[in-house]
Amino acid sequence: MDRVSVARQLVARADAEPEAVRTEALTLLPGTDESELDEAHALAAWALGLALRHLRDLDGATYWLDRALRSLDDGAEDHSRVALTLTGVMAFRGEFRNALATLDALEPTDALRGRIGFQRAAVLERLGEISNASVGYESALEEFHRNGDRLGAAHAQNGLGLIALERGSHAIAAARFGLARSIYAELDLPLLAAVARNNIGLAALRSGDVMHASELFDIASAELTDLGEPFGETALDHVEAMLLLGRPSAAAERASDALRQLQSSGVSSDRAELLVSLAVALHRDGQTGAASRAFDVADELFETQGRPAWRAVTRLRRLEADTITTPADLLATGDELVAHGLDDAALDAASAALDICDDTDIGCVDECRQRLASADDRDLRRRNARVVELTTRGDRRTACDEALTALEQIEMSMTAVAALDERVALLTQGSRIMRAGLRAAREIGDVRFVIDASHVLMSAALRPRNPITPSALGAAFRRCVDGTDREATWRRVLDAGESVTAPPTATNSPRPERRRYDATTQMTTIVDDGRTMVAVTSSEDGERFIDLPTRGWLIDAFEQHRALLTQQLGRPSTGGDRLLDESARTIRSRLPWLAGPDSELIVAVNGRLASAPWTSVAERPVRILADPRPARPPDERVVFLAGPGISTAHTERAELARLYGQRLINGGSGDPLALAMDAADATLHLCCHGHHDPINPILSSYELDVGDLDGATIASAASAPALVVAAACRSGSSSMLGDTGAVGLPLAWITAGTSTVIAPVCPIPDDERTVSTAIAVHRALAAGASPERAIRKALVDGDPTVARSLIVFGRVPHEDDPRAS
């Protein structure tokens, strides 16, 4: 075979075997002097540039591609193809305008028309010109179909998937990425196939299918690692996933790792976008100084790259994060966004400005309201403007009514919205509306607004967090996870279009019954809007606002108490709880309603304090209200399910058998969900390890003998136990989704229909201390005590420290339940 043919083979192999091609191409090349290359050497230089581009040696790629260009005849097809490769390197460097100029200078021959159109569309997409990019990708795809270019078609499908994702068409995006992945796999391009699989994971995440998204991300990350991907092709997607799931610390760590790997690669475009994500994550994690520096560098990079639209979006993100932002700053940025055709982002800017307007500044409120007037009548940003306007003009009663109506709209929207990013957006708007309503309610002393708004937030939280994915898309995700997906699978999804992810019809569940509480029960309602907390108390003496410490103090105090409790539980024996007791007394001194009479206390709380160690700090029985509907008592059956590695499981089962006799049913073999559903309307006791997943809280799970049972599966169950007693580490914990939502295993059970969950919020020991506490709880339950009183009994009859880690999470005790008091 002649030298030219050998070099052409290297070019053909470079996408699939970059490491090998780099080694072989270097052996063919004459060195690094600047002499003109002959045809074989020029083709070898092109192959080396292609390989180095994949390996992210952009300086080396640029050098060899420049030499190849100088050595090939202008106008020749090889010359144009090398120029196309070079524009890809320019895009990695963030040199978008130079890349466009190079593309414009090329002669679009029939063979290259599709490739040039695709590359131009890819650059326009990075510049933020989404409409033009979409047209370009579509035209390129038609060209690729006409000339039978399968690889080009895969690239175009991937680009169209990114456009669909940008426009919120999650099913279409998944299908486009799936088609691209199938072709890459067929052409034996594992690196590109792994990136496409990761993109399918991002589509799954945004569509609300957290479980499949997590699996796809894990598989793609492992594939990319095995393939030697040098800096994490998918880092931006993973950071977005973590931010959507309310994990800013994990997002910041992932972005920082990727940026360190990018440091010497010269990939400025990805670096700029990662810096924006890092800045948002750092701000949410409380690291405001570092966030400001990250925003500064990102803005400089976007300016260098000639990306004014991205600069405007970055400015908006920065202003949203900055505590000294003024409404005028946000409105000016909104004008920039409009100039770039980003009208929806401009509405976000006006909504954010309205959120910080002074109530007395009628001019500011009017300006924001006028800008938001272009939104749809049912747009929550417009509804929020109406609430603020009414408050500013003194009609606070109507403002409260409008705010409650808007929150109820969010409650119903959560039924119909499956996409996770849309649910987070709903929660964010809900926080703003809640803040506006609370301002009006405090000024007129409207206690009922706080209570009713709290109930609406609860009902919204009970909407399915991870709804069953419609069959066509769900089956495609599963096949992609299993590695058995085919092009035909994704074509069916694409043909079905949005119908495969059509939102479920509104549920027929009735408006939650909102009962008054009897004389033996006090309820404290704490509403957390993401910035402040407002509390009211309801008892036989009436309803009134009560004072709270600052939100930051409360969160820190409860977290410090949880850390002390966890430390104490990790010791070989209990006793010596002096620091715990002092911590609890400090909290009660600021929350005196946690002390006092022995009557039961119901705490209705959303957000960060939903899974705080309330039992440990209170001097009275406490129930955390998660559902405003009345609870139902369990029937007489008690179903026992155990997990592997629990040394005391046999003892725990034997003690329960002595207590309940034939009423105790041992869980058998089979599917873990089916076994849990066998306990429908009964009491389910779980003796197993529990795993709280802080990144994907709906994937928190119980480790059972028959397999893991996770929150997403529980929430989708057709029936559920009435009472769950979980002797499983941290299975009472939850993590944030948005500003106000708290997601975890307890909420999954309540969503499925369970009335009450007893679970620890800390790791508990696998020894006799936990057994004695669990049995003490059951002994009190069997004697007719309510779950919260059963825990109070266990403080004496079981291990006091283990009992302090337990919380009761559920519905309002029903008046007809003998255990309600």
Side-chain angles (χ1 to χ4, degrees):
M1 186 182 296
D2 61 49
R3 292 169 53 243
V4 171
S5 298
V6 170
R8 286 196 184 280
Q9 281 196 353
L10 289 178
V11 171
R13 290 168 49 206
D15 285 331
E17 306 170 54
E19 284 279 9
V21 167
R22 174 175 61 178
T23 301
E24 294 177 40
L26 284 170
T27 64
L28 297 179
L29 288 163
T32 58
D33 62 70
E34 296 303 315
S35 61
E36 186 172 308
L37 305 174
D38 63 22
E39 183 182 8
H41 286 151
L43 293 175
W46 177 18
L48 180 55
L50 271 169
L52 293 175
R53 182 194 67 178
H54 282 299
L55 298 171
R56 298 305 190 266
D57 179 359
L58 300 188
D59 288 338
T62 301
Y63 172 81
W64 287 107
L65 292 170
D66 276 338
R67 289 197 68 186
L69 274 178
R70 292 199 306 268
S71 303
L72 293 168
D73 293 336
D74 286 352
E77 186 168 308
D78 284 341
H79 185 279
S80 296
R81 289 184 182 276
V82 174
L84 268 175
T85 304
L86 185 57
T87 60
V89 175
M90 291 175 179
F92 275 125
R93 288 184 177 278
E95 299 169 2
F96 299 111
R97 297 301 172 189
N98 290 341
L100 286 177
T102 301
L103 289 167
D104 289 341
L106 295 177
E107 292 293 333
T109 64
D110 289 342
L112 288 183
R113 186 173 287 107
R115 290 298 180 104
I116 294 172
F118 164 78
Q119 193 77 317
R120 183 178 180 82
V123 174
L124 290 171
E125 179 207 328
R126 300 304 297 274
L127 286 169
E129 298 180 25
I130 300 301
S131 296
N132 291 334
S134 179
V135 172
Y137 282 136
E138 290 283 5
S139 298
L141 184 59
E142 291 176 10
E143 288 286 341
F144 293 140
H145 284 325
R146 271 195 294 271
N147 61 31
D149 186 344
R150 294 279 286 164
L151 179 58
H155 291 337
Q157 292 285 11
N158 195 69
L160 286 167
L162 294 172
I163 297 293
L165 211 55
E166 182 76 21
R167 291 173 169 170
S169 301
H170 309 110
I172 290 176
R176 298 286 192 191
F177 295 141
L179 289 169
R181 201 191 88 83
S182 298
I183 299 172
Y184 291 143
E186 170 200 319
L187 299 176
D188 195 23
L189 299 171
L191 179 63
L192 295 175
V195 173
R197 190 199 296 272
N198 182 87
N199 288 345
I200 298 169
L202 185 60
L205 178 81
R206 292 208 191 163
S207 71
D209 196 335
V210 182
M211 181 177 295
H212 282 134
S214 180
E215 292 177 305
L216 288 164
F217 283 149
D218 288 344
I219 295 169
S221 293
E223 290 173 335
L224 290 166
T225 300
D226 290 344
L227 291 165
E229 169 56 35
F231 63 81
E233 182 81 29
T234 59
L236 268 169
D237 299 339
H238 293 194
V239 171
E240 178 182 341
M242 292 169 186
L243 286 172
L244 277 175
L245 291 162
R247 304 304 303 159
S249 296
E253 183 178 355
R254 181 72 181 92
S256 298
D257 287 345
L259 284 164
R260 278 192 291 271
Q261 292 171 305
L262 277 169
Q263 191 67 38
S264 60
S265 70
V267 186
S268 297
S269 56
D270 287 345
R271 184 165 177 257
E273 292 168 38
L274 263 172
L275 278 165
V276 175
S277 295
L278 173 62
V280 172
L282 288 170
H283 172 76
R284 293 184 187 175
D285 202 39
Q287 302 179 55
T288 55
S292 180
R293 290 192 293 275
F295 275 128
D296 284 342
V297 178
D299 186 64
E300 290 172 7
L301 284 169
F302 286 134
E303 182 178 20
T304 301
Q305 295 164 9
R307 302 168 77 183
W310 271 93
R311 289 193 74 194
V313 171
T314 301
R315 193 148 32 251
L316 174 60
R317 298 290 170 257
R318 181 174 202 155
L319 290 171
E320 288 175 332
D322 200 331
T323 56
I324 60 172
T325 294
T326 68
D329 294 333
L330 284 159
L331 294 175
T333 301
D335 291 336
E336 289 184 58
L337 292 163
V338 169
H340 293 297
L342 302 174
D343 293 344
D344 195 65
L347 291 177
D348 279 341
S351 184
L354 184 69
D355 197 35
I356 60 174
C357 275
D358 189 294
D359 286 350
T360 61
D361 190 347
I362 295 177
C364 176
V365 172
D366 283 346
E367 174 66 20
C368 295
R369 184 177 56 80
Q370 288 170 14
R371 294 186 181 216
L372 291 166
S374 62
D376 181 84
D377 285 343
R378 289 183 58 80
D379 190 309
L380 290 165
R381 293 169 295 193
R382 185 168 177 175
R383 302 292 295 272
N384 184 43
R386 173 69 173 156
V387 175
V388 175
E389 180 195 16
L390 288 166
T391 302
T392 303
R393 298 187 183 284
D395 191 355
R396 296 178 179 83
R397 165 55 51 208
T398 307
C400 289
D401 293 341
E402 287 276 351
L404 191 59
T405 300
L407 291 171
E408 289 173 341
Q409 179 185 331
I410 292 173
E411 174 192 354
M412 297 311 297
S413 296
M414 292 292 276
T415 306
V417 171
L420 185 62
D421 53 346
E422 293 178 38
R423 295 209 301 274
V424 172
L426 280 172
L427 289 170
T428 300
Q429 287 301 322
S431 298
R432 288 176 172 168
I433 291 168
M434 178 66 77
R435 278 194 286 275
L438 287 175
R439 286 200 297 267
R442 283 197 300 266
E443 290 176 16
I444 60 173
D446 186 353
V447 174
R448 290 307 304 174
F449 171 82
V450 179
I451 296 172
D452 288 345
S454 172
H455 288 172
V456 171
L457 285 176
M458 287 179 210
S459 298
L462 294 174
R463 303 306 181 189
R465 292 285 183 181
N466 191 51
I468 296 298
T469 309
S471 58
L473 188 56
F477 285 150
R478 171 49 55 196
R479 291 191 184 105
C480 189
V481 168
D482 294 341
T484 59
D485 59 320
R486 296 287 183 270
E487 192 172 342
T489 300
W490 294 109
R491 288 207 177 279
R492 283 196 294 272
V493 175
L494 187 60
D495 290 342
E498 289 303 327
S499 64
V500 298
T501 52
T505 55
T507 63
N508 56 7
S509 55
R511 175 71 57 204
E513 176 186 336
R514 296 171 184 162
R515 56 164 284 200
R516 295 277 178 162
Y517 305 98
D518 58 41
T520 64
T521 303
Q522 176 186 339
M523 185 177 80
T524 297
T525 301
I526 303 174
V527 172
D528 181 358
D529 64 18
R531 291 186 188 171
T532 59
M533 292 183 185
V534 175
V536 301
T537 184
S538 309
S539 67
E540 62 180 341
D541 298 325
E543 298 164 342
R544 59 184 176 83
F545 283 97
I546 54 176
D547 292 332
L548 283 181
T550 64
R551 181 175 185 269
W553 187 93
L554 277 172
I555 291 172
D556 287 347
F558 273 104
E559 286 304 313
Q560 289 169 13
H561 189 86
R562 187 201 301 271
L564 288 171
L565 182 56
T566 300
Q567 182 182 53
Q568 189 69 20
L569 286 163
R571 293 174 178 168
S573 61
T574 57
D577 290 352
R578 180 180 57 82
L579 290 177
L580 265 179
D581 291 338
E582 288 180 1
S583 172
R585 279 194 294 272
T586 298
I587 294 174
R588 287 196 300 272
S589 70
R590 306 292 296 274
L591 305 177
W593 38 271
L594 289 172
D598 189 44
S599 61
E600 295 186 1
L601 172 67
I602 295 173
V603 179
V605 58
N606 66 301
R608 293 283 296 274
L609 297 186
S611 62
W614 291 95
T615 298
S616 186
V617 300
E619 289 184 322
R620 55 196 300 189
V622 180
R623 171 181 294 246
I624 308 306
L625 188 64
D627 187 342
R629 292 170 294 182
R632 69 186 195 281
D635 62 29
E636 293 188 346
R637 296 173 300 136
V638 179
V639 177
F640 182 91
L641 286 179
I646 303 294
S647 61
T648 56
H650 179 75
T651 303
E652 200 163 311
R653 182 188 293 110
E655 292 289 338
L656 288 173
R658 274 193 284 273
L659 178 62
Y660 290 113
Q662 293 184 343
R663 293 163 54 194
L664 183 70
I665 302 169
N666 291 320
S669 60
D671 177 77
L673 178 60
L675 290 176
M677 288 174 62
D678 285 344
D681 299 322
T683 295
L684 174 63
H685 180 87
L686 297 168
C687 172
C688 61
H689 291 300
H691 302 285
H692 176 68
D693 188 332
I695 296 176
N696 293 349
I698 195 63
L699 299 184
S700 300
S701 62
Y702 303 105
E703 187 180 337
L704 301 174
D705 285 334
V706 292
D708 290 354
L709 179 61
D710 61 65
T713 304
I714 292 167
S716 66
S719 60
L723 170 63
V724 173
V725 181
C729 287
R730 294 195 65 197
S731 57
S733 297
S734 61
S735 294
M736 295 299 294
L737 180 64
D739 287 337
T740 59
V743 183
L745 287 167
L747 186 67
W749 285 114
I750 303 299
T751 298
T754 296
S755 287
T756 310
V757 178
I758 300 175
V761 294
C762 303
I764 54 176
D766 176 19
D767 59 22
E768 181 56 37
R769 290 177 290 169
T770 294
V771 175
S772 65
T773 306
I775 299 306
V777 168
H778 276 282
R779 191 176 294 117
L781 290 171
S786 66
E788 45 270 53
R789 288 190 180 277
I791 293 177
R792 300 301 297 179
K793 284 283 290 177
L795 288 168
V796 177
D797 299 338
D799 181 274
T801 311
V802 173
R804 290 178 80 151
S805 75
L806 301 176
I807 62 169
V808 177
F809 190 87
R811 296 179 176 180
V812 179
H814 197 282
E815 293 162 326
D816 297 333
D817 183 356
R819 299 189 300 189
S821 61

